[in-house]
Amino acid sequence: MTTVGEALISLLEAHGVDTVFGIPGVHTVELYRGLARSRIRHVTPRHEQGAGFMADGYARAGGKPGVAFVITGPGLTNTITAMGQARADSVPMLVISGVNATPTLGKGLGFLHELPDQRGMMEKVALASTRITQAAELPGALAHAFALFSSSRPGPVHIEIPTDVMVQPADGLQAGLSNAVPPLPDAGAIAEAAKMLATAKRPLILAGGGAKHAAAALKHLAERLGAPVVQTANARGLMHGHPLAVPASPSLKAVRALMADADVVLAAGTEFGPTDYDMYGDGGFVLPDNLVRIDIDPAQLRRHPARLCIEADCGAALEALAARLPETVKQSPEGEARAGAAREAALSGLDKTLRGQIEVVETIRDALPGSIVVGDSTQPVYAANLYYDHDRPGGWFNAATGFGALGYGPPAAIGAALAVPDAPVVCLSGDGGFQFTLPEIGAALDAGAPVIFVVWNNRGYREIETSMREVGVEPVGVSPEPPDFCKLAQAYGIEAERLSGAAGLAAALTRARTKGKPVLIEISVE
């Protein structure tokens, strides 16, 4: 007899899942029954939050949904933070949990890991939360989850299986594979947008995270128009080194001036979130008048109305726009000059400290070309989100925007390394954030994920301390004493070295890359 738990593994295989992240428990033992003999790899984090962050990093780097298995109650609540980050950054994540036996649910009988309404709680964070009450519902629930991932703005999806349902017979279940696709761009809207862009003298493109898989289409359209391309943090890596690229935050005055000067602005896959467009909270960002928006999510289009909205996948819409432009369209002759002036003004407008921190990130990029750099909320990451040109589309991502979950970097980097094993993967974390999920370096060793963990050790939460001082609050609670990170790494069997400042970082990265296994580099910052 095949049980629901065993059928789940077979159905996940049919949907192309090759890796799951999770910690087994008494409430999920039956979900593991078929795992050992399957083709799916299981990676064990040290905490369920790590499972969620690993699934997030796996999805961002590899493009496939990340999958986590967690127990009911505390296992699932531990995962909520990671799901919140995935929801904020549109990351496809499937979280499969147990839940107590069906007859006990909602009765407050005091069972182990009991919650009053687990699914009701998850519905507030996930795109959808489904309870399986009988075997026949399982294929449809999985099909619905994967359809959401492929046809709309992705995010976390939750499926829970009661312990009594896990052992039900499930012979003969067939996967309901989804062929759902995003909505096609409306031909009339494409024609109108192409007309606006073709007649623009100073066109501008804003590229967000929704455009990170549309690099070729974005570059083609930008070159046809001669339009500078401003990239939010989640779009960095697009058009690396291109004379039309502006890898700078729209929160900077120079970028805002570029936007204000444009006569038509095309926004592709960006939600206009304050952490990208108004991170200083000065209220200086104003939506352009002649704004054309492309977004897969109609709700996002409604939140920031534009003169013209195109509901579609960014890649498809950008390709359609380029094809619809008349052959006689003239490239804006000043596009490259406008982009160059904005780049220069944006970088020169940052103080010496920020520019020095950006140089640290550039050192990582140049020492390890084509790397995936996964950041946590730490000073060099904040600085690079303001201005930094990465050399790999989708290869720069972090939790310092949107939801802002501290401790994201180490486990997410492990997921990224497993999704893209041929790419160098660097986790850039501060000493404070690194301690949130420090034990996950052991999971990296277990899984053979050759992540290079770079710890920026300034002995405390210096960004928060600076913020407190700027508003006249005496700093309290911002100087937790860090441990000896090198000794801790060595206790896990991981090689480590300490640098005094960033000098020598390039050589240390080169040495670490040759190891083919996890390595820790601590940068001691005065």
Side-chain angles (χ1 to χ4, degrees):
M1 181 188 75
T2 299
T3 66
V4 167
E6 292 171 300
L8 170 66
I9 303 303
S10 298
L11 294 172
L12 288 174
E13 284 184 312
H15 282 280
V17 174
D18 56 24
T19 304
V20 299
F21 305 91
I23 301 176
V26 295
H27 286 72
T28 54
V29 166
E30 288 298 330
L31 299 185
Y32 281 75
R33 184 175 292 279
L35 195 55
R37 60 178 180 270
S38 75
R39 298 186 301 275
I40 296 177
R41 178 183 193 175
H42 184 273
V43 178
T44 307
R46 300 303 190 260
H47 189 281
E48 288 93 356
Q49 186 181 95
F53 285 149
M54 288 178 190
D56 178 301
Y58 176 93
R60 294 200 206 208
K64 294 170 57 176
V67 181
F69 278 11
V70 296
I71 63 166
T72 184
L76 189 57
T77 56
N78 283 342
T79 315
I80 284 181
T81 295
M83 295 176 72
Q85 186 70 52
R87 181 70 182 256
D89 285 345
S90 307
V91 178
M93 176 192 296
L94 176 59
V95 176
I96 299 174
S97 79
V99 71
N100 286 310
T102 306
T104 72
L105 298 179
K107 295 184 179 179
L109 300 175
F111 280 89
L112 180 67
H113 301 332
E114 185 178 60
L115 283 167
D117 183 3
Q118 179 173 284
R119 189 164 64 93
M121 176 184 67
M122 297 312 299
E123 286 177 332
K124 304 298 183 183
V125 180
L127 296 179
S129 179
T130 302
R131 179 181 300 151
I132 304 301
T133 61
Q134 55 185 343
E137 296 172 354
L138 184 59
L142 288 171
H144 178 60
F146 282 89
L148 288 174
F149 298 148
S150 63
S151 64
S152 59
R153 185 186 186 191
V157 174
H158 170 241
I159 295 174
E160 67 178 20
I161 308 177
T163 53
D164 57 318
V165 176
M166 293 179 192
V167 296
Q168 286 183 5
D171 291 317
L173 290 184
Q174 299 294 316
L177 299 181
S178 170
N179 58 1
V181 295
L184 293 174
D186 177 75
I190 290 293
E192 186 177 350
K195 182 179 178 181
M196 291 173 63
L197 291 167
T199 57
K201 290 182 171 32
R202 298 179 307 283
L204 178 70
I205 299 175
L206 305 176
K212 67 181 180 181
H213 298 301
L218 178 67
K219 179 173 177 286
H220 179 52
L221 181 63
E223 290 177 341
R224 288 285 312 276
L225 296 170
V229 179
V230 174
Q231 301 142 43
T232 67
N234 280 329
R236 300 294 171 79
L238 295 171
M239 299 180 65
H240 171 65
H242 197 286
L244 288 171
V246 184
S249 169
S251 292
L252 299 177
K253 290 181 179 179
V255 180
R256 289 179 173 178
L258 178 67
M259 294 166 60
D261 181 62
D263 53 359
V264 176
V265 177
L266 174 64
T270 178
E271 66 177 359
F272 291 109
T275 52
D276 278 312
Y277 289 84
D278 192 22
M279 67 169 295
Y280 296 110
D282 59 12
F285 171 68
V286 179
L287 280 175
D289 291 331
N290 272 10
L291 176 64
V292 178
R293 292 194 67 189
I294 301 170
D295 204 290
I296 199 171
D297 184 3
Q300 281 296 338
L301 294 174
R302 290 193 295 270
R303 288 184 186 113
H304 292 288
R307 176 170 172 180
L308 181 62
C309 291
I310 302 171
E311 182 188 343
D313 169 75
C314 274
L318 292 170
E319 289 175 0
L321 277 173
R324 195 68 175 78
L325 289 174
E327 292 294 331
T328 56
V329 66
K330 293 183 179 179
Q331 184 186 77
S332 174
E334 301 175 354
E336 292 184 5
R338 290 162 56 220
R343 288 194 302 269
E344 182 178 350
L347 185 58
S348 63
L350 301 176
D351 63 35
K352 181 180 178 181
T353 299
L354 287 171
R355 292 199 300 271
Q357 292 163 358
I358 292 168
E359 288 173 3
V360 172
V361 182
E362 291 174 336
T363 297
I364 297 173
R365 177 198 64 200
D366 297 342
L368 301 173
S371 60
I372 298 172
V373 181
V374 184
D376 214 308
S377 296
T378 190
Q379 287 179 324
V381 172
Y382 288 127
N385 280 346
L386 287 174
Y387 188 100
Y388 169 63
D389 190 11
H390 196 57
D391 65 351
R392 180 191 184 108
W396 168 264
F397 56 87
N398 56 76
T401 62
F403 199 58
L406 203 57
Y408 168 86
I414 294 168
L418 295 176
V420 191
D422 295 334
V425 176
V426 177
C427 166
L428 180 55
S429 181
D431 59 293
F434 193 67
Q435 292 181 76
F436 272 49
T437 49
L438 187 153
E440 300 303 353
I441 64 176
L445 195 64
D446 290 347
V451 177
I452 302 172
F453 297 98
V454 177
V455 182
W456 180 263
N457 186 358
N458 56 18
R459 310 186 73 81
Y461 304 128
R462 293 295 163 242
E463 280 295 301
I464 305 302
E465 179 180 346
T466 299
S467 298
M468 296 173 85
R469 292 187 186 281
E470 286 178 348
V471 295
V473 175
E474 184 176 350
V476 175
V478 293
S479 300
E481 185 65 23
D484 187 322
F485 292 109
C486 291
K487 286 184 178 178
L488 282 172
Q490 290 160 2
Y492 277 97
I494 293 174
E495 293 185 37
E497 65 174 297
R498 180 178 293 111
L499 305 177
S500 180
L505 176 58
L509 291 166
T510 301
R511 288 192 296 272
R513 178 60 177 162
T514 64
K515 305 292 184 182
K517 57 185 179 181
V519 175
L520 185 142
I521 301 170
E522 178 186 349
I523 301 175
S524 182
V525 183
E526 292 297 331

